[in-house]
Amino acid sequence: MILRIRRNFRSSLQVNNIDQQSDFEADAISARILRILARNGRIPNQQLAAEVGLSPSACLRRVQDLERRGAIQGYRAIIAPSARAAGFTAYVTVGLARHSNEAQQAFERACRAAPQVRECHNITGSVEYLLRVEVRDLDAYRRFHTEVLGAFPQIATITTHVVMGSPKDERA
């Protein structure tokens, strides 16, 4: 009986994996659409259709289906840091003093409220969070570090990694 359950479990896993792969990998046209839109979210539908070999109406239906299924989560402009007065970028690791749901939620709320925090990721390892912080300059970061991060009672450790350059950055 145990062997039969294992066999069924393995075959259902294989079927599920095949089904999941076929949703994304079997459709080469949708994958091409996603790659092109990741590079240029403002590409006209006519041009996108020509690049993937579809009619404009079929291409638009594909894009709308990808949006509906959540493969495309949105479109945004990539703003130059200088236009945002954010010439200083740092990645900051944060360890919390208490590992409670309440402490995490309070910290996450504070990060959402701080405009300097451009990204906040809950991570594994020796600390709980990785932040991407963008401010005007080192003095502005020092103020953020002292007045914003320093005001969070749930923080135990803060480590700052200053970005000196970004030879590759594909965030959209």
Side-chain angles (χ1 to χ4, degrees), residues 93-108 111 122 126-129 149 152-158:
T93 60
V94 176
L96 299 182
R98 291 182 298 125
H99 302 282
S100 68
N101 190 30
E102 179 184 301
Q104 285 185 320
Q105 287 180 2
F107 179 75
E108 291 171 10
C111 284
N122 184 232
S126 59
V127 295
E128 285 75 34
Y129 290 94
L149 290 180
F152 297 155
Q154 60 269 35
I155 292 180
T157 63
I158 302 170

Side-chain angles (χ1 to χ4, degrees), residues 8-141:
N8 288 340
F9 180 70
R10 284 186 182 149
S11 17
S12 69
L13 279 178
Q14 290 170 351
V15 169
N16 287 341
N17 286 339
I18 290 168
D19 289 344
Q20 289 172 356
Q21 289 173 356
S22 65
D23 285 348
F24 299 107
E25 292 179 23
D27 190 0
I29 292 173
S30 292
R32 286 187 64 208
I33 289 171
L34 291 172
R35 280 194 303 276
I36 292 167
L37 288 175
R39 283 193 316 268
N40 180 5
R42 292 185 52 138
I43 188 172
N45 185 56
Q46 296 268 14
Q47 185 180 347
L48 178 61
E51 287 190 31
V52 299
L54 292 174
S55 69
S57 60
C59 184
L60 183 59
R61 280 193 303 274
R62 291 260 189 156
V63 170
Q64 289 170 337
D65 184 55
L66 290 166
E67 291 170 342
R68 194 172 25 263
R69 290 184 357 209
I72 298 172
Q73 296 180 343
Y75 301 88
R76 61 180 74 162
I78 300 170
I79 311 297
S82 59
R84 293 191 315 267
F88 183 93
T89 302
Y91 285 88
V92 182
T93 60
V94 176
L96 299 182
R98 291 182 298 125
H99 302 282
S100 68
N101 190 30
E102 179 184 301
Q104 285 185 320
Q105 287 180 2
F107 179 75
E108 291 171 10
R109 273 192 306 276
C111 284
R112 280 191 290 275
Q116 304 92 332
V117 178
R118 303 291 294 161
E119 295 177 24
C120 174
H121 305 278
N122 184 232
I123 60 173
T124 63
S126 59
V127 295
E128 285 75 34
Y129 290 94
L130 174 65
L131 311 178
R132 182 170 58 88
V133 176
E134 293 182 355
V135 292
R136 180 179 301 117
D137 54 24
L138 180 60
D139 194 48
Y141 179 74

